[in-house]
Amino acid sequence: MTDPTADAAAGAMPPHRLYRRIIEVTGVRQLGLVALALAIAALAAAPLELQKTIVNGLAEKMTVEELVRLSAVYAGVVLLVAGLKLALGYGVARTGDYATRHIRERLLDREADREPLARGTLVTMLTSEAETIGGFAGTAFALPVVQAGTLLSVLAFITASQPMLGLVALFVVAPQAFIVLAVQRRVTALVRGRVQLIQRASDSLVAGGDSAAAGSRRDFDDVYDVQRRINRLKQGSKFALNALSTLGLVATLALGGWLVLKGSTDVGTVVAALGGLARIAKPWSDLVAFYRQWSVVGARFDMMLKRLR
């Protein structure tokens, strides 16, 4: 099999014009989404601080009234964040739907005004490509803001509470970032090749002819091989990321326990740090998924523009 990604590898990163186009089409909507994302990120560490205060208060025999008051504040913060996330999720979905409709309208307008595209290519662009790119438009700004903001808020909280535990959290995140950056460029090149093969197979089938089925079969066999390579890269990196997260929890528990025994910190701080690491896992995994989507959507957007020239 010839490598379908050979020509794609050099331009594997998404073009800046993707984000320019997203701003042109959904700019006003994005402002509201980013505002919600910033509010969620700003409140990310509040539950951890309340958790630390409650645990330490219980160790120091706080009153029932204090416990009820802190628990009520805790519940209020959690419900407020949940409400903000609900509003953000709805806004992201609406923005993605709006962008998808815009893409389809532009494709149909182009089809009416210029030389028609091959039917297979047009159908693919109107369905899966439009859905993928439009859906990304909804998350393009809000998702990295809320997840990166949450990550930074939690890391800052852990470091401020106990710098040594903050270093442990940093040593968990930094290698994960390296792994993602190292793997994703190759994955993006493979995705470009996969999309090219699918479009070529679709065009061949729609055009018909004696060799159409045989050619499409070869292309789909190549698609299968490319997808296997993508899956191996993704699953391998996922294993490495999960292993680092688990080791981080163990290291925090061991180091935190040692610091408590030395009298250098309190139990509430260790409990909050463990909770913070668990809280980091979700935004970090979402950022990894976003980075992968960013790369793939950029490749598809670039290929769509080339088809429309």
Side-chain angles (χ1 to χ4, degrees), residues 5-199:
T5 69
D7 296 331
M13 298 310 291
H16 294 298
R17 57 180 174 270
L18 169 61
Y19 264 76
R20 288 202 300 269
R21 190 59 182 156
I22 289 173
I23 292 173
E24 290 172 6
V25 176
T26 65
V28 175
R29 295 169 181 263
Q30 298 292 347
L31 290 176
L33 297 179
V34 169
L36 286 170
L38 289 172
I40 294 169
L43 293 170
L48 297 174
E49 178 63 34
L50 288 164
Q51 186 180 84
K52 182 178 79 171
T53 302
I54 290 172
V55 170
N56 287 335
L58 291 173
E60 297 168 2
K61 303 198 184 314
M62 68 164 58
T63 65
V64 174
E65 290 78 10
E66 290 174 326
L67 177 60
V68 171
R69 178 177 59 80
L70 287 172
S71 298
V73 173
Y74 194 118
V77 170
V78 170
L79 290 174
L80 174 59
V81 172
L84 291 172
K85 287 183 177 179
L86 176 63
L88 180 62
Y90 181 73
V92 163
R94 286 286 303 274
T95 301
D97 292 342
Y98 177 81
T100 300
R101 185 181 67 173
H102 173 83
I103 292 169
R104 286 172 174 157
E105 289 175 348
R106 291 299 301 272
L107 285 171
L108 293 173
D109 289 344
R110 185 264 179 209
E111 187 71 0
D113 295 339
R114 298 174 60 184
E115 180 181 346
L117 293 167
R119 294 298 92 185
T121 297
L122 180 61
V123 170
T124 300
M125 292 169 68
L126 284 171
T127 54
S128 63
E129 301 300 322
E131 289 281 353
T132 300
I133 298 171
F136 175 80
T139 63
F141 293 94
L143 192 147
V145 168
V146 71
Q147 303 303 353
T150 297
L151 192 64
L152 291 174
S153 294
V154 172
L155 284 174
F157 167 78
I158 296 174
T159 303
S161 299
Q162 172 48 251
M164 292 184 69
L165 296 180
L167 282 176
V168 171
L170 183 61
F171 282 126
V172 170
V173 172
Q176 289 179 329
F178 175 79
I179 290 170
V180 172
L181 291 172
V183 169
Q184 189 54 40
R185 184 175 180 85
R186 183 57 182 163
V187 170
T188 302
L190 288 168
V191 169
R192 280 177 176 263
R194 180 178 176 276
V195 173
Q196 288 172 346
L197 288 168
I198 291 174
Q199 289 183 345

